[in-house]
Each structure stands twice: as structure tokens, then as C-alpha cells.
Amino acid sequence: GTTLDVAAPFEIQSPEPSTTGHIFTRMGIAETLVDADPQGRLLPGLATGWSVSEDGLTWRFTLRENVLFHDGTPMTPATVAGALEIARGKPGPLASLPIAALTPEPGALVIALGEPVAALPAFLAEARAQILAPSAYGPDGQAVAVIGTGPYRVTSLTPPLSLRATAFPEYWGAQPNVPAVTYTAVGRAETRALMAESGDADFVFTLDPATVTRLSRSDAVEILSVAIPRSLLLKVNAAHPFLNSPEARRALSLAIDRAGLAQAVLRYPQGADQLFPPAMGDWHNPALDPLAHDPDAARALLAGLGWVPGPDGILSRDGQRLALTLTTYPDRPELPLVAAVLEQQFRAIGVELTINSTNSSEIPAGHQAGTLELGLLARNFALIPDPIGTILSDYAPGGDWGAMGWQNAEIAALAQALARGEGGDAERARIAAILQEQLPVIPIAWYQQTLAVRTGIEGAVIDPWERSFGLPGLRFAE
Amino acid sequence: MTLLSATDITVLDGAVRLVAPVSLTLNPGEPLVILGETGSGKSLLAQAIMGTLPASLRATGVVCIGGRSLPAGDRAAFRGLWGRQIAVLPQEPWLSLDPLMRAAPQVAEAHRLVRGLPGGAARDRAARDLQALGLGAASALYPHQLSGGMAQRVAIAAARAGGAPIVIADEPTKGLDAARRDDVAELLLGALARGGGLLVITHDLALARRIGGRLMVLRDGAVLETGATSAVLSAPQAAYTRELIAADPESWSRRVAPSEAGQTVLEARDLTLSRGGQRLVDGLTLELRAGRILGITGPSGCGKSSLGDALLGMLTPERGQITRARGLAPTAFQKLWQDPVAAFPRTRPLGQTLRDVARLHAAPPDRIGGLLDRLRLAPGLLARRPGSVSGGELQRLALLRAMLAKPRFIFADEPTSRLDPITQRDIIGLLADLARSDGLAIALVSHDPVLIERVADVTTCLPMQEGRKSARDAAIRRKDRGMERPAILR
Amino acid sequence: MTILVSRLVQAVVVALLVGAATFAMMRSLPGDAAWRIAAGRYGYDNVNVAAAEAVRAELGLDGPWLGAFLQWMGDLFRLDFGVSLVSGQPVIAEIGHQLGASLWLALAAVGLSLVIGPPLGILAGLRPGSLFDRVLLVVSTALKAVPQFLMALILILVLSVQLGWLPAAGYGQPRHFILPAFALALGLAAVNARIARDAMASVGAMPFYAFAQWKGLSRAQVLWRHGLRNVSVPLLTYLGLQFVLLVEGVVVIESIVGWPGIGHALVHAVFARDVPMVQGTALMLGLGFVLVNALIDLLAARIDPRGAR
Amino acid sequence: MTAAVLPRALPTGRILVAAILGLVAAFALLGPVLVPGDPFAQSLMKSLAGPEPAAPFGYDHLGRSLWHRLVHALRLSPLIALAAVATAAAAGLVLGVVAALRGGWVERLLVILADALLALPGLLMVLIVLAIMPGTATGFWAGLSLVLWVEFFRLTRATARATLASPAVQAARLLGFGWPYVLRTHLWPEIAPLMLTAAAFGTATAIMGIAALGFVSVGMRAPTPELGLMMVELLPYWREAPMALLTPVLATFALLLGLTLLAGGHRT
Ligand SMILES: Nc1ncnc2c1ncn2[C@@H]1O[C@H](COP(=O)(O)OP(=O)(O)OP(=O)(O)O)[C@@H](O)[C@H]1O
Ligand SMILES: Nc1ncnc2c1ncn2[C@@H]1O[C@H](COP(=O)(O)OP(=O)(O)OP(=O)(O)O)[C@@H](O)[C@H]1O
Ligand SMILES: [Mg+2]
Ligand SMILES: [Mg+2]
């Protein structure tokens, strides 16, 4: 056929970029000023180049000429400024930036900052910073239509499950090979797998581990898999009386059989032996002492903290049982599974775990309320193609999805310096080392992104930064 | 030439023989009436002849109809005769009409599909049939809008539309009052006049007299005697037939009341009753005295049972006063229900129910046994449930139960409506004895004026209130439905 | 007329009940609604304090109790369901979309089930106790004992993956209907068949059914003219009650095959604490039930003039 | 008439029902006695391994013995379902009798409430209750009871209305019996068989509902072994380990089949 069908788990809520923008950029419908390659290097997007003033406070983005929105109107500095102005008024990474002013100038957009942000271009590469035509927004700033600049133009948008788009003939860049694409949101992993298997979808995004094993034996599809800058980790309330010493956290870490988990449950090649995956490039520190599995050592550490086993094998101290609640969410199907495994592995060292699989918001909400004990989560370090944004919000000093009840002045200083554009590999290595030693979060696994492409479709690549499906590069084989 | 002859018909339930070999013939213009005790096999015999026996029963013998001879056991062989050779008249006409189809089409469909008339002609014929039966206005009504008598006539029209010369009717007047009974008899005889055959089953002697022809008396599945109807009824040969005829209320002697009347047990003054927006009783005054029997008659649906409900405090009168004698326990006022099966807990063994009552009223332990003797009931019955004793037995057990409560007043609502004459005579006799011996006040309801006239000391005839003549049919219909439906659902 | 009045009362009470229940749900759910809604809107990677506070400010989630409730019910009776907390779209518009999708699916399922179930049931009811009757009893019981999600998965595995006849999931073309409709229909047909069988058996045992044959009509004529009409009344009544069963099936099936319907929306809305959506969908389903049953009442009253049911 | 059919149809059905339910119950009760083990113990190395003496049904994806998980699941769901059915039956019985006895506005109110609840899909109500009490057996119990009582109420009220207005009850009252006696000897025998049927169906519905909710991840909390949850967990491995998936599927099927036959056998 001439239409390429994409199936992915994300639902289309509305045309609003702040909630659904990532689908529009992935599908090549909307674009951002800045683009990124698989290695995380920033590339020109709707901006052809950028420069920053000496003091790091004034950024100038040169805009691409002759870009048309899908409604036929031209993209101008004013429309770009307008779109970004609306975007930063909504929750999202832009909202947290110290932007003083967005000024359209002939052929360029000037952004004035209150303090330096070295990663600003990376922020502008994030999906919610996508540039839509003025007519895409309603009077209150909510998007009412997706009128972007990308190679594909929406022909029908039916929230929550589907979207159709065709090639936009006046696209500024090369025309895509595939003239039409559809997007279907399919929540259940097994249904997606069956769609891949039965040929109902040509491009299936995100497969569960078991499906990968199964589909890799099938001739009908090709499986692509790549490590991505996302980690599965255990968030620890370091202010909790049971968990406030690094030894206690190390004991929990030693209890985890990462290799077994990776192979049997996640079916990944290996477990995580530090927080930052190799996919994060210079943030990954190969020199670190890897995290190990040693229940005996874990028991010894806990005994050192005054915990003694009770009749049922669960430790107790001063009449208190070492019982903790682990909060997680089923949106990612592997999380409850890993939680179930942790429950047993912790029990082996005398820690009782109650699993509460609930809405994902319980973790940040519990963080804010100080009630969270343990949280099992998948953290994306590449919300913007520069991990410093996430590091800053999670560990300098702590944040909803990062460290809790734990502060480290050195990390904060290092991260803020990096954000300003000062420092390099040594600072990153030091951050990784501190996290490895203090364990405010306990890394468990590094994610693999997997997708299935129907045999006969060429040119598929996985974007580890989860920004694009790479549809314009796809081709139906002859 | 005989229209139908049946030879050596037997009906078996497994190894149990329900109908012994019976033979009969039907000749044109000469009706055959079958009389007999309840459960003697009359219905089964008729069903065997028509091939409509229930699947669980087996029949042997040979039936010859229209020159063809069919083994009675071969049900399928009869299928082609229905409607064309034999018009089968249903036992319950109001249940025999499709409740979701108007009257006329139920007749017309037989004209069209059985007799083969084209649609228009079939409709015309059906309209004419109904017209002839005085049902012209009823042709567009649904069965539930018909009275029992109307439904009966529609069913006859439908059964005969196929043009069958032989008519077999099983208790065609069951539950009907005298006027209605005569209507039906007329209808059946009318068909006979055109050279058809007629077989009627009944235990109503008056109907048998009206039909005439020949008579056959059955008992225990066997023929007791046969002969010309008038001859058998006037000079019966078998002892049972004699007893049957003697038990007819017509031949009862008048009951003599005790000379001095007892105290007043219950008094109703200026009683006015309404039900469902209809005035039933208007300004009635009556007095019940110990030892006396008050007879209550009136057409069906006139409010006899409702009056009983009011006297017993189960229905609030619209106007008027009911005064009970002072010093009597509330349980001294009892009632015998029109339908005795419905008045007992369905699933409880009868003995248990009776023992509960005895315990409640602190009756001496041998009281039940004594009453059983007196009512000529076998103690073995007590182990059974209400559904598995005969109607006559249950009616006597209901009386026994009421007696346990030491009543001073009993409202006996049609206590014999479904019984054959012999059982009927026994029960009424018993009630009369009780009134005399125990000083009981009794209100006896019956639609049979003869019976009331023979037994009651005082008689109240409830008139049908003006403007309710049409509602009367509706009442019959509703009652019968009410009684039949649970049986089907069960 | 009384049918309509009593159904109207039912509708009003349904609305009250849904209104009160969803309001109570809004107030008593564990966890903070603002957080839940933020998670629903922005996804787990992006929910944080800022997002939650933005939601809280936007929706005014901490108002006083009684005033809010009265306001709530007032809006409800003006059929103003408000705006979906997650998508920001008017609830009415969203439901309008989804209701259509579910309605077609439901109609297809009911249609299919009526084609499959009642004929088999009637066939069995004509000869109660026969081999066919007993086989049907076991088969229909077995079908009813398969959870619907399982039925859907089995059908997908067999019909799409192994045989490749039908698409496994998706929405938009007629062929997408077949599989989910069939998955729903099998369960419904199992019940329909039982109802039809029992109705036929009891109609067949009625005196009027025998009488119709005694009039001289053939078996087929009796079945056609008297059997079907009488069987249709209980079947129809039951169909109304089946609507509830159907809705439950729809919720599950839609979530499996990715059907953009109301059941799917409902599960999501409950997850995301999108209370206006829960309220809107629940109300639509409840009123749908009342409407369907009112129609069925009217239809049944046409077929069965006795009225008293 | 219909009675002629039943005697032949029932015995085979009864035996089948007894056999199926007996087998399931025996397994649930005696399973751990025959093969001792722990439904929670994992050995990741045995993930999806086949049967062996210590685990006659093999292992699930986390290397837990399916035999023991199934035993546990076959206790849990029926237990919740039975508790919910018992509550619902008791509530329905009491309210139904009250409605029939009191009549008037009490009855009208209860009927309207029941009608309205009937109009709301049961799964939705369980979902709402579960949203308030997530993942707990109590939540299920409350939600399911709330759904199931309507059926019992309607049954009881209809039967009680007819029975209490019957001549049999009038006679009992005339004879001086009190309501407790009437309810016990007249009403209960009429209602009991209907209740049994409704209870069997209700139990089946509840078990199916628990499994269905497990399937949309609102069910019991992992790692609790529950039938729906087990199916969801094992579903991805359907090709690798079809027998592992079939184990809970067949158990559910047997349980539901037994219960529906039990209910259906009475209803016809
Ligand atoms: N389907 C059946 N199976 C077994 N026994 C039956 C069946 N139908 C009737 N009987 C029995 O056969 C006997 C004759 O029944 P039948 O109905 O012919 O009596 P009947 O003379 O018509 O009585 P009635 O005057 O009460 O109508 C009765 O003892 C009855 O109990
Ligand atoms: N429970 C009731 N509610 C409303 N109307 C009733 C009720 N019972 C009887 N009726 C009506 O009251 C009228 C009188 O009924 P009732 O039973 O008193 O008549 P009856 O004289 O006993 O008749 P039958 O000889 O047929 O027994 C009828 O029109 C009937 O339809
Ligand atoms: Mg008879
Ligand atoms: Mg009467």
C-alpha cells in the first residue's frame, strides 16, 4: 500500500501541544526550532543556526526562510515568537526557564534570559516547543488544530485514538517517500504485538519484552532495539528513618539481582550498574564501581544498622518492622512486574515490601507530601536532548521524580554550573560518582526501546531521544 | 355409517394402566356424552382418540376415522386429521387462543391454511362465522378482552373453521354458570344438526340432559354402563351411577335448622363495598347467628368473595359497620377459600401446617386425629403436600385446619366448586353438621341457587350492580387467568 | 403512557444517582485530584508540582462543599457536563464522538447475536430434552463462561494472526467491526439462545400452541404464526436487560481492540480522575439503558396488548 | 408440561455440575496438601519452565509455581464473590421483604433506587468504588455487593408481593400466625430456590467481573494471585508458554461453567 500505519501506546488527547505535542513531532507533523541526531547532537530545525551573547543571556535564533505552515501562511519571526510565548505559559520545560523576553526580529528570534542557560537550544528541541501557525490556537491559547510545518499534514484527527496525515507538498525540505501515514493509539501491548504480527500495522512502537522474543522469530516483522537514555530506578525517601543512611540504601541495592531481572523479566542484555545508561554518552561513567548483587553483604549492612531478624525472617529494630510500601504505576507494564520481583528479593534480606500499583501521579504527589517511601519508576533523562535539564530538576537538589529527602550541595553546584555552560566531562563524572555512592535513587535497569517494522519497509531507525519516528526516512521496498 | 369408531383403547403410564380397553363409536347426528368420577380417565380417553395424549403416556388400540384406521399409539398419524376430520375443542378456551392475536385472524387462518381459501375469502368467512355466533363486535378484540363465554365461542369457531365433521369437547362448561352453560350446549348441538358427530365429556348432569344422545359412564378407566342418555339418567343400572345421580343437589332434602337461634356472632350494617373503582355491594345489612347457615348467591363477579373479605376484616368497606360479638378471639373468625390449593403453603407437608396451627391454638394432641376421623380423611394424607391430594380431600383438610382455631364463624367460599356431585354432597353435609353440633355460624357461598336453597337458613342474593354487566365478563376472565397462570409457571 | 412516565422517573433518578456518585467520587478519591489530572494530561514523564499546581488553579478544586454540589447538579440538569479535565474538550463533544463508535459496535453485536442465538434457541425449544437441546445448553453455558476479554483474544489469535482474515485491531472500516462485534455477540447469543429456548419451550407447552395445531395448521405454520410472536416478547424484554451486559462487554472489548468508544473512554476517565468525563459517560450509559428499555417497552406493548408485565 | 422435560434433563446436568465444582473445590482446598509450596516464591531461573514434581503445572514468567498460584487464586476470587453475593443476597432479601411488607413510599423509593442502579453498568460501579478503595478485596466486595443486590431485591420483592398477598398467607394471618412464621414457612420456601439460582449466577458474574477488572489493571494488586491478573501477566507469553496461560484460563472456565450450569439447571 501507499499508506504507512503506525501503532503506538500514546493517546491523542487533543490538538494541544502541551499534552499531545510529542505525537505530532514524532509523526513529522509539527517541528521545533532545533533538531537532534541520535547521538544527541543538536541540529538546525526551523532555526538554521543560533548564537549566544558573551554573558550567556541573549540568544539569537536565525529562522529558516520560505517555510509555510500547513494552512499556507508563511512562518515569520512573529508567529514563532507567538507560538513559543503560548508554549511557555503552559506546564512544560519551557515554563521553568528564566526567559525575560521573546523578541521577533527580521529573520530571527531573540530570546533574553534572566540568567544563563547553556542548554536553551536543547529545550527548544523539545516537543512542547513546537511551532504552530497562529490559526492553530484558540483565543485562550489552547490549540484547536494542528497546523505545523512538518513534512506531513493532518487530514483527520480523531482523539483519542487516531490520526491521518498526508505528505505536505510545500514542505521546505525533501518530500517524504511514503505519501500518507496513519497513527493509531493502542494502549495494550499485546494488541500492538498482534497488530504487528497480523500486518495491521507497519510500524509498531514500544513492545513488551515477551513480545520481542516472540516477534523476533517471525518473518513478517523486523525488530529494532536500541538503548535509550531512560532508566528504571527505585526512588528512595532518604528522609525516612529506615532509609536515611547510605548503608541502608546500599543494602537494598545489594539485594537486587539485576542480571536475573534483566534476563528473565525485561529480557534486556544486561542490568544497570549505574544510574546513567551508556546511551547518555558522556554522562555514563565506565570507571565507576558497578552495583552488585550480594544478599549476604546486604544482610550484614542492615545488621550493622541494628536490624535483627524476627520469627518470620523480617527484620526489626526497636520494635519496628522493616516494612516499606513501594509505589509504582502500570502505565509501563514492566514496572509492576519488576515490583513483584523486588518484593521477593527484598524479603530475602528481611525487608517486607507492600506493592501499591496506582496512578503515576502518586509518586510526585507522595514526594511533595513526604509520604512516599519507595517509588519504582522509569525516568527519561532525555526529556530534552540534553540530560542536564532532567538532572537539574531531579538532583539539584531534589525533585518529584528524583532524589527525595536527600541533598548534596556539591551536585547542586556542579549541575548548575553545567547548566550555565561551565564545565564538562569531569563534572559529569563527579555527579555520577556521588549518585553511585549515596544512592538517593537505586538504579535497576537501563531501558531498551524496541519497535517492530513490517518486513519490506526500509530505513527505520530508532530515535533514542524519543522525538521522532523517522517516518520521512522510511521507504516501501520494491 | 359411523363417523368414528375406537376399538380397545388403553392408555398406559409406564406399566400403570390409566384407561382400560374402552371402545366407542360416533354416529352422525347422535351425540355421545361421557360422565364419570374425577380421575376416571375421561380426558385421557378423548385425547387418545384424537392423538393429543401427552408424550409421557402410551396408547394402544385402533381408531377408525373417515375409513382410515390408525393405531392409537401413532400420534403422528393423527396430525393430518386435526381440523380437517376432528375439531378438537380445548378444555380451557381462554388459554387456547393466542394471546397476541386478535380473534378474527385466529379463525381466518384456519380457513385459509386448512381449508385453502384465499386470504380475502378466509377473512370474510371468519367474519361471518363470528357474526353467526353473535361475536361480530368482538372480531377485532384480543383474547384478554373477551369473556370466558366469548372466548369459548371464538375457540369453537376456530376449531371448526377447518370443516371437520367430528367435534370432541372436554368439559366445555367447566366453571361457567347456568346461563352460560346453556349457550355452549346450544352451540354444540347446532353443529350436530348438520350431520356431524359430537362427543362431550362432563360431570354436569344438567348438561348431559341437554345434550341427550347416548351416555357412557366411566369409573377407574373402565366403562361402567352405556345407554341412551335419558334412559341412563332416569334408570341407572350401576350402583355408582345411581349414587352419582342421587348426589345432585336437585335431589337433596332440605336441611332443617335447629329451632332456637344462638347469639349473634357477627353483624354487618349498611355495608357498602367497592373494588377497583366498582361498587360491589350497596347498603347491605346482615346478621350471623350461632348454629345458622347464611347462604350467599349471585352471578360470578358480583362480589361474593369480596363480601367475605370485608366480613373478615381483610377488605375495608367504603361505608357501613361490621360488629363482631364481644369476647371472641380474632382467630374465631375463619374462612374456607374458594381455591383450597392456594390457601395452603405450597411446599410444606400438610401435617406440619396442621400441627403448627394446633400448637398455636394449644389444641390437645389428639385433636387432629379426632377431626381426621370425623372428616373421613386418611392420616397418610398428612405426609403429602397440598398439590398432591385430591381437591375433595384438600377442601376437607382446609375445614379441619379452620376447626383447629376453634372458630365461631366460618365463611365458606364456594367450598365445592370443583368437585363431582358425591364429594360435594359430603362436604356440605359436614358443614351443616358442624353448624348444628358446635353452634357455628356459617356463611356459605355458591353460584348454584339449588344448593343454597337446600342448605341455607337465610339466603342473601347479591345482585350484579347496574352498569357492571360488561365488567362481569372481565371479572371471570381475570379470575381464571389468576388461577391458571401459576400452574404453568410452576 | 405510564410506561413513559415510569421510565422518565427512572431517568431522573439515574441522573441524580450519577451526579451524586460522581460528585462523591470527586471529593473522596484517595490521592490529590489535581495530581491525577495532571498525570492524565501530561503523562508520567512530565507530571510535577508545576503541572499539578497549574491544574489546581485552573479548575478551582478546593471550593466549599454544598455550594459546589448544588452547582454540580444544576449544571448536570442543564446537560452541561463541563469540560474534560484531561483533554480540555467539552465532555459533550467527546462523548458524542465516542458514543457513535460504541453504538455501531453495540448494534452490530446485538444484530449478530440475534442472528445466531434465537434461531438455535427456538430450534432447541421446539424439542426440549432432545440431544440438540442438551448440546446447546452445554455450548451456550460454555460460551457464557468465557470472559469476554478472553473471547476477544482467542478470536484475534485465530481469525487475525493465524488465519489472517480480519484485522486484529483498529477502527474506521467496516471490516474492523467484525471481530469485536463477533466477540461481543457470542456471549450475548449464548444468553439469547437460552432465553429463546426457554420461551419456546414454554410457549410450545401452552394450550394455545397445541390448539393451533389442532386447528389443522402445520408445525411450520404454527411456529411462524404463533410461536415466533410469543417468543419475541420475553426475548425483547430480556434484550433490554442485556444492554447492561453489553456495556460491560464493550468496556473490555474496546480496551483490547483499541476502539475509540465510550467504554474505552470510561476506563480512561476513571483512571485519570477525569470526573466530568466519568459523569458524562455514566450518565449517557444510564440514560441509554433507560431509553432502550423505554423503546422496548413500547415495542413490547405493541406486540403484547395485555400490557401487564 | 415442562415438567415432563425436566426429570430427564436434570440428572446429567447435576452430576456434571457436582463433578466440575467438586474438582475445582478439591483442588483449591487440597492442592497445597498434595504438593506443598509457596505461591509467591520466585526463582527467576525457572521462568516459564515446564512442570516438575514441585510445581505440577510449571512456572510462570517470574518462576513462581503455577500450581500454587492457581490454588491461591481459586480461593481468593470465589471468596470475594461469595462474600459479595452473601451480602447482596442478605440486603436484597431484607429490603425486598421490607418493600413488599411496607408498601407505600418505602416500596416506591426502593424500587426507583433499584431501577436506577440497574440502569448503570455494574462494571462501572465497581470501577467507581475501586477508584475510591483501590486494589483491595474490600473494594471489590463493596462494589460487587452494590451491583448484585438489585437482582436479589427484585426477585424477593416480586415473590414476596405475590406470596404475601396470597390466600395462603391471608389464611395464616387469620389463624393468628405472626409475620416471622409467615416469612419462614410461606415466603422462604418460595424464594429459596430463586435465591440459589441468582446466587450461582451472581457468583459467576462476580468472578468474571473480578477477572475482567484484573484485565484492565484495576483488579487485585500484584503479586496477589488472582485469575484475571494471572491471565494478564501470562498473556504476553502465550506463544512461548501456552500451557502456562491456559492454566488460569481453564480454571476460570471450569469454575464459571460449573456455576452457570448450577444456576441454569434450576432456571429452566
Ligand atoms: N400425563 C399424565 N401422566 C400420568 N398420569 C396421568 C397423566 N394425565 C392424567 N393422569 C392420570 O390419569 C388418570 C385419568 O386422568 P384424566 O385426566 O383422564 O381424568 P378425568 O376423568 O378427565 O378427570 P377430571 O374429571 O378431573 O377431568 C388420573 O388418575 C390422572 O391422575
Ligand atoms: N383484589 C382485588 N382488587 C381489585 N378488584 C378485585 C379484587 N378481587 C376481586 N376484584 C373485583 O371485584 C369484583 C368482585 O369479585 P369477587 O371475587 O368478590 O366476586 P365473586 O362474586 O366472588 O365471583 P365468583 O363467583 O367468580 O367467585 C370483580 O369485578 C373482581 O374483578
Ligand atoms: Mg378431565
Ligand atoms: Mg368468589
Side-chain angles (χ1 to χ4, degrees), chain A residues 328-360:
Chain A
T328 189
Y329 47 96
D331 306 43
R332 299 190 76 96
E334 66 279 2
L335 290 180
L337 267 182
V338 172
V341 175
L342 288 185
E343 194 257 347
Q344 283 291 307
Q345 295 185 346
F346 282 5
R347 176 172 295 275
I349 61 161
V351 178
E352 186 178 63
L353 211 56
T354 305
I355 298 169
N356 179 17
S357 175
T358 176
N359 187 284
S360 56

Side-chain angles (χ1 to χ4, degrees), chain B residues 13 18 37-44 54 56-57 91 171 203:
Chain B
D13 176 21
L18 298 172
E37 192 182 22
T38 307
S40 56
K42 305 183 292 292
S43 299
L44 293 186
S56 61
L57 300 180
Q91 249 181 309
E171 303 211 35
H203 33 225

Side-chain angles (χ1 to χ4, degrees), chain B residues 287-321:
Chain B
E287 190 184 25
L288 284 146
R289 287 167 168 272
R292 289 286 150 107
I293 297 180
L294 168 72
I296 302 175
T297 59
S300 179
C302 68
K304 301 184 293 292
S305 303
S306 304
L307 175 63
D309 288 350
L311 293 178
L312 288 163
M314 298 186 302
L315 174 67
T316 319
E318 194 174 303
R319 193 150 42 76
Q321 247 182 349

Side-chain angles (χ1 to χ4, degrees), chain B residues 275-276 278 280 299-306 338 414 468 475 478-479:
Chain B
R275 231 175 186 176
Q278 291 168 350
L280 297 175
S300 179
C302 68
K304 301 184 293 292
S305 303
S306 304
Q338 199 167 353
E414 306 258 20
R468 292 195 52 245
R478 215 172 307 157
K479 286 179 119 51

Side-chain angles (χ1 to χ4, degrees), chain A residues 216-451:
Chain A
S216 53
R217 295 190 206 124
S218 161
D219 295 335
V221 291
E222 190 188 337
I223 298 288
L224 271 68
S225 179
V226 75
I228 56 169
R230 187 187 271 278
S231 294
L232 200 163
L233 52 89
L234 190 63
K235 178 180 160 86
V236 182
N237 180 354
H240 192 279
F242 297 172
L243 301 169
N244 55 13
S245 74
E247 288 76 24
R249 302 195 288 270
R250 199 163 314 128
L252 292 189
S253 171
L254 284 168
I256 302 171
D257 175 9
R258 294 179 175 78
L261 249 171
Q263 275 160 33
V265 179
L266 301 168
R267 308 204 173 176
Y268 291 167
Q270 66 182 108
D273 54 22
Q274 59 174 290
L275 182 59
F276 301 126
M280 277 170 77
D282 33 11
W283 284 89
H284 180 76
N285 183 354
L288 284 181
D289 250 0
L291 297 172
H293 172 49
D294 188 347
D296 291 329
R299 276 187 282 266
L301 277 174
L302 289 174
L305 291 170
W307 293 99
V308 286
D312 58 350
I314 300 299
L315 300 172
S316 69
R317 185 174 70 185
D318 308 334
Q320 280 180 304
R321 273 166 76 81
L322 184 39
L324 294 164
T325 298
L326 179 140
T327 306
T328 189
Y329 47 96
D331 306 43
R332 299 190 76 96
E334 66 279 2
L335 290 180
L337 267 182
V338 172
V341 175
L342 288 185
E343 194 257 347
Q344 283 291 307
Q345 295 185 346
F346 282 5
R347 176 172 295 275
I349 61 161
V351 178
E352 186 178 63
L353 211 56
T354 305
I355 298 169
N356 179 17
S357 175
T358 176
N359 187 284
S360 56
S361 69
E362 291 290 311
I363 290 176
H367 177 106
Q368 289 302 318
T371 52
L372 185 78
E373 294 179 346
L374 294 171
L376 185 69
L377 54 98
R379 187 57 173 156
N380 181 0
F381 291 107
L383 287 178
I384 61 170
D386 185 340
I388 187 63
T390 312
I391 307 290
L392 209 52
S393 67
D394 284 1
Y395 300 100
D400 295 337
W401 293 94
M404 174 178 183
W406 176 88
Q407 305 222 334
N408 186 296
E410 192 186 350
I411 282 201
L414 288 169
Q416 273 147 21
L418 279 168
R420 281 193 304 275
E422 301 156 14
D425 286 350
E427 282 72 14
R428 286 190 272 268
R430 179 65 193 137
I431 291 179
I434 296 173
L435 292 173
Q436 187 83 338
E437 184 193 315
Q438 293 277 321
L439 290 175
V441 297
I442 301 172
I444 294 175
W446 297 318
Y447 267 97
Q448 297 277 115
Q449 181 63 273
T450 44
L451 56 80

Side-chain angles (χ1 to χ4, degrees), chain D residues 5-33:
Chain D
V5 183
L6 282 186
R8 273 188 295 168
L10 265 187
T12 32
R14 281 270 163 79
I15 293 166
L16 197 65
V17 168
I20 293 174
L21 289 181
L23 217 67
V24 173
F27 174 69
L29 296 176
L30 301 179
V33 179

